[in-house]
Amino acid sequence: TKRTRKGRDDITQREYTYPYKTDYPPQEEEDAASDVTEGHDDDDQMYEGEYQGIPHPDEIKEARRAARREARMKARMAAEVEEETLPDQYESIMEDCGHGRFQWTLFTVLGLALMADGVECFVVSFALPSAEKDMCLSNADKGMLGLLVYVGMMIGAVLWGGLADKLGRRQCLLYALAINCIFSFLSCFAQSYGFFIFFRLGSGIGIGGSIPVVYTYYAEFLQMDKRGEHLSWLCLFWMLGGLYASFTAWGIIPHYGWGFSMGTEFQFHSWRVFVLVCFLPSVAALAGLVFMPESPRFLLETARHDEAWMILKQVHDTNWRAKGEPERVFQVSQIKMPQAQDDEFIEIQSETGTAFQRFMVRHMTLVKQVIRRENDVKLTITLIHLPPHSYYGLGAWFPDQIKYLQFEEYESNVKIFHREKVERFHFNFTLQNQVHKEGEYIHDRFIDIEIRNVKFEESLFENCYFEDVRSTDTFFENCTLKNTVFYNTDLWEDSKFINCKLENTTFLHPKKGCHLNFQEQNDILIYLVSFLGSLSVLPGNIIAGLLMDKIGRLKIIGGSMLGSAGCTFFLLLCFSQWAVVFFQCLFFAASAAAWNGIEVITVELYPASKRATAFGVLNGTCKLAAIISTFTFGKVIGITKIIPIILSFSALVCGGLLAFKLPETREVILQ
């Protein structure tokens, strides 16, 4: 009995203290188990099972929980492995499909869309000298019209880039080009400034989606070793857009007789013909895109496996038939799908918000995710933000500087007539670049002539007759007009006469408003400057295309930017029109390769689900920099060269140095 009681006391003591004493030797634990089982009762059965190797129920539960955690971890790891293998498998499929007829056909179609973007950047600047007379534009109106084109392109880049990751690359590009075509066509016939600026804004919103969607779309049909080279060749079409715009402007706008009019309310002059011709590349791209398929990489991201497989088979068969191997079979039978991920967006529930609200929340959330991505992407944003501040700013500064130098030369040759007296004289020749002070004109006739940049100050006109007179920048200031008749002229009381005394003066059939002067010749040099500037980027494009996959993206971008930064210092030597033209070509040639590298590396840095959105945000940032730089540089024309040079040099040097901090993507598979 004592032994039994003592055994029970030992059991109780061990039961209480065992969980906290883990340093017992194994042999002692076995001896203790034998002692315990020797005289136990029914109440102590669970502990007997424990010492006989039967797990405790709590341990069983914990083991099950651990097994579930391990299973979940293995599932996640398997999903990650599967997701990581999709880009590898897609790259293998594209290598099997080869590079051939299909890619070159798509290259041409998307190149036309990129060409339309290049044309859009030049349309307004070429049409503006004639449009300002046709629509009575002030300097403020002209400046607003030029800036709104870039505003529209900025909005379009962000909008269509975001939609391309949700609706598809081809679908969004179709919508964007269709909007550009519609608004461009309507702008040709807009007679008022308000409608014209609205239609050009809509046209810019449409074409703004071409760059981010085109590069994303084309990159997803290219294998890794072809990607850098062929995306660089695609940039040639932007150059062709500039050449097309300048060449057609040169050939159409000076031919004023190509237009027509319907009364005084509807005018369709040659500059409108030019605007109409400029939307033809967009029409051609839209027609070709109808026959192109959607990106299979996008279809795989949206779980449309069968459609993606059919398109990849089409690419394979098209290329190998063109290479003379129609019997070659598409070997892919199964494509691993990406693991479905939880939606990262904060959605507004359908019963509490509209479709537009849900779209805005989704789109803005994605934009924030793109901006807040890793450090290398932040550098990309900085990198793509800085060059346009110089490229677009100097691109606008060069022709404006030429115009300013022309104006200075023109003003230096002004003829001044002081206190001249002309009686009974018939003026039948052009009056140009003259100032007449305190003159007297009595019984004179001004018939069927043109008066350009002429100013009459404190002069007397008595018994004079003006008929069919066309004027440009001509004014009468503090003059006296007696018994004078103006018939069918654009000299009318409220427009050309400043603080003048009109005594018995008659205005018959005045041409009120702004009427185009059909005898005025546009400055051919401006068209030539734009043509040469667009052509000068050809060497940079060729160098980028040949070396992009050989020396890498970073060396192309950094070297080109630092080289073009050095070119900006030569702008201090620009004292003549032809010096400006020469250094413009030098700068554009040096900076073209950087643009190609930026487009390529932007495509390669982002995953397929966010690629177009990220490109759209960065391209929108680019257009914002263009707006700021164009406005800033335009304000200092004729004042100083230091501000454009310092801003351009700083932007290019910073961009060139930051380029070397980016990850090299030359041998990286598209994620």
Side-chain angles (χ1 to χ4, degrees):
T1 305
K2 290 182 180 180
R3 183 179 179 184
T4 304
R5 187 180 301 114
K6 182 179 179 181
R8 290 181 179 176
D9 291 340
D10 291 341
I11 293 173
T12 305
Q13 184 178 3
R14 288 173 184 163
E15 177 184 350
Y16 178 78
T17 60
Y18 180 76
Y20 301 98
K21 295 182 180 181
T22 58
D23 55 347
Y24 293 114
Q27 185 62 37
E28 293 181 3
E29 291 180 357
E30 292 178 2
D31 295 339
S34 300
D35 293 339
V36 169
T37 55
E38 196 171 23
H40 73 283
D41 53 17
D42 295 339
D43 295 333
D44 299 322
Q45 184 174 0
M46 58 179 296
Y47 304 108
E48 177 186 3
E50 178 179 358
Y51 289 105
Q52 290 177 350
I54 300 175
H56 193 281
D58 292 339
E59 294 180 358
I60 295 175
K61 294 179 181 178
E62 180 61 31
R64 289 174 179 172
R65 284 194 293 267
R68 285 196 294 268
R69 284 196 300 268
E70 185 178 359
R72 285 196 297 268
M73 184 176 296
K74 289 182 178 179
R76 280 197 297 268
M77 293 176 63
E80 291 176 1
V81 171
E82 183 175 345
E83 187 175 357
E84 290 173 358
T85 59
L86 175 61
D88 296 325
Q89 186 181 11
Y90 189 80
E91 178 67 24
S92 300
I93 293 173
M94 294 312 304
E95 290 177 357
D96 183 57
C97 291
H99 188 92
R101 175 177 293 176
F102 180 89
Q103 279 84 359
W104 285 114
T105 303
L106 184 63
F107 175 84
T108 304
V109 173
L110 297 182
L112 289 172
L114 202 60
M115 181 178 173
D117 182 271
V119 170
E120 190 72 19
C121 294
F122 292 92
V123 169
V124 171
S125 60
F126 287 150
L128 204 53
S130 299
E132 64 177 315
K133 300 185 182 70
D134 218 6
M135 294 185 290
C136 302
L137 301 183
S138 63
N139 289 332
D141 292 337
K142 290 188 291 183
M144 181 62 68
L145 181 58
L147 290 178
L148 274 182
V149 172
Y150 285 117
V151 171
M153 296 175 77
M154 178 183 68
I155 297 172
V158 178
L159 175 66
W160 297 115
L163 288 176
D165 283 330
K166 296 301 172 185
L167 303 181
R169 287 65 162 121
R170 173 183 175 273
Q171 194 73 13
C172 283
L173 192 56
L174 279 171
Y175 292 152
L177 291 175
I179 290 175
N180 174 251
C181 291
I182 293 171
F183 281 96
S184 294
F185 180 78
L186 293 176
S187 69
C188 302
F189 302 95
Q191 299 297 304
S192 67
Y193 170 72
F195 278 110
F196 184 76
I197 199 172
F198 171 74
F199 291 142
R200 293 316 305 180
L201 176 64
S203 175
I205 292 175
I207 203 61
S210 62
I211 289 182
V213 179
V214 161
Y215 282 100
T216 301
Y217 189 15
Y218 192 52
E220 293 173 347
F221 280 98
L222 297 174
Q223 57 200 65
M224 183 176 62
D225 59 342
K226 300 284 187 181
R227 197 167 57 228
E229 177 186 355
H230 288 272
L231 287 177
S232 298
W233 294 132
L234 192 63
C235 294
L236 286 170
F237 280 92
W238 200 94
M239 176 201 73
L240 292 178
L243 295 177
Y244 177 83
S246 54
F247 186 77
T248 52
W250 191 350
I252 295 176
I253 294 180
H255 296 82
Y256 297 110
W258 287 14
F260 64 91
S261 61
M262 299 174 61
T264 59
E265 298 297 328
F266 185 85
Q267 306 286 335
F268 195 89
H269 296 120
S270 59
W271 69 269
R272 297 182 184 274
V273 178
F274 163 71
V275 175
L276 185 64
V277 169
C278 280
F279 91 109
L280 294 181
S282 186
V283 173
L286 183 64
L289 197 62
V290 172
F291 301 98
M292 293 292 105
E294 182 56 83
S295 165
R297 189 69 180 88
F298 166 78
L299 294 175
L300 290 174
E301 286 294 324
T302 54
R304 293 155 68 180
H305 174 276
D306 293 339
E307 294 179 57
W309 187 89
M310 292 296 295
I311 292 171
L312 290 170
K313 185 177 185 302
Q314 176 188 349
V315 175
H316 176 277
D317 294 346
T318 301
N319 288 339
W320 290 110
R321 278 199 302 267
K323 294 177 181 179
E325 300 183 36
E327 70 282 356
R328 190 157 180 166
V329 179
F330 186 52
Q331 300 291 339
V332 178
S333 59
Q334 182 179 3
I335 303 176
K336 292 184 178 180
M337 302 295 293
Q339 182 73 15
Q341 299 177 354
D342 295 335
D343 195 355
E344 299 175 349
F345 300 100
I346 302 172
E347 290 284 9
I348 299 177
Q349 298 301 322
S350 57
E351 59 270 11
T352 60
T354 63
F356 177 76
Q357 288 175 314
R358 293 193 297 276
F359 165 76
M360 289 303 297
V361 170
R362 175 181 289 271
H363 196 66
M364 293 307 298
T365 305
L366 184 54
V367 169
K368 292 177 182 178
Q369 290 174 350
V370 170
I371 294 176
R372 291 199 301 260
R373 202 171 175 262
E374 301 91 8
N375 291 332
D376 59 340
V377 178
K378 292 180 181 178
L379 290 177
T380 307
I381 294 173
T382 306
L383 179 64
I384 205 167
H385 175 85
L386 292 173
H389 193 74
S390 58
Y391 187 91
Y392 282 105
L394 289 178
W397 184 82
F398 285 127
D400 285 346
Q401 184 69 12
I402 291 174
K403 291 178 183 178
Y404 177 77
L405 293 174
Q406 289 176 332
F407 177 74
E408 277 192 330
E409 183 181 356
Y410 188 76
E411 273 200 333
S412 65
N413 297 323
V414 65
K415 297 178 181 179
I416 300 177
F417 300 86
H418 190 250
R419 293 184 178 179
E420 64 176 349
K421 186 173 182 179
V422 182
E423 293 188 46
R424 300 184 184 279
F425 185 79
H426 183 193
F427 289 87
N428 58 359
F429 51 86
T430 298
L431 301 178
Q432 182 175 355
N433 199 22
Q434 300 173 359
V435 176
H436 299 263
K437 297 182 178 180
E438 300 180 8
E440 294 183 9
Y441 306 90
I442 301 174
H443 292 285
D444 293 328
R445 296 169 66 84
F446 301 79
I447 299 178
D448 196 21
I449 66 170
E450 181 181 355
I451 306 178
R452 299 185 200 167
N453 300 94
V454 177
K455 190 174 184 180
F456 297 95
E457 297 179 354
E458 300 178 357
S459 299
L460 172 66
F461 293 84
E462 185 173 355
N463 295 313
C464 293
Y465 182 75
F466 293 78
E467 181 179 349
D468 295 328
V469 175
R470 300 170 300 279
S471 66
T472 303
D473 294 329
T474 297
F475 300 95
F476 298 79
E477 186 173 354
N478 298 320
C479 296
T480 301
L481 292 87
K482 299 180 179 179
N483 302 317
T484 297
V485 176
F486 293 86
Y487 179 82
N488 196 33
T489 71
D490 58 6
L491 302 171
W492 49 290
E493 186 174 358
D494 297 331
S495 64
K496 305 291 185 178
F497 300 91
I498 303 172
N499 298 326
C500 294
K501 295 180 181 179
L502 305 178
E503 300 178 5
N504 197 26
T505 298
T506 305
F507 296 90
L508 300 174
H509 302 287
K511 296 180 179 179
K512 293 186 177 182
C514 298
H515 294 271
L516 200 61
N517 190 341
F518 289 95
Q519 299 299 322
E520 182 182 356
Q521 295 295 322
N522 264 30
D523 189 1
I524 301 300
L525 181 60
I526 298 300
Y527 302 135
L528 180 61
V529 167
S530 299
F531 184 86
L532 293 176
S534 299
L535 187 62
S536 63
V537 305
L538 180 61
N541 282 333
I542 293 176
I543 291 173
L546 295 177
L547 301 180
M548 188 70 69
D549 287 324
K550 292 182 173 62
I551 67 174
R553 287 78 163 118
L554 306 188
K555 293 180 181 179
I556 289 287
I557 299 172
S560 177
M561 284 191 180
L562 295 177
S564 56
C567 294
T568 57
F569 279 104
F570 291 109
L571 298 178
L572 293 171
L573 305 177
C574 295
F575 297 107
S576 67
Q577 299 178 32
W578 288 108
V580 174
V581 174
F582 174 77
F583 288 118
Q584 173 195 9
C585 295
L586 184 65
F587 174 79
F588 284 170
S591 59
W595 275 107
N596 293 24
I598 289 173
E599 312 294 2
V600 173
I601 201 170
T602 304
V603 168
E604 296 171 334
L605 274 176
Y606 291 91
S609 60
K610 296 181 176 65
R611 185 171 295 130
T613 301
F615 209 135
V617 172
L618 298 182
N619 194 252
T621 306
C622 163
K623 294 300 187 292
L624 178 61
I627 294 170
I628 296 173
S629 59
T630 302
F631 178 79
T632 303
F633 289 6
K635 292 295 183 182
V636 299
I637 290 294
I639 300 176
T640 179
K641 299 177 183 178
I642 300 299
I643 293 178
I645 292 175
I646 294 299
L647 291 177
S648 301
F649 178 80
S650 302
L652 289 166
V653 169
C654 291
L657 295 177
L658 285 173
F660 295 105
K661 299 293 184 180
L662 290 171
E664 179 58 70
T665 58
R666 178 174 41 170
E667 297 180 356
V668 174
I669 296 174
L670 286 181
Q671 296 300 309

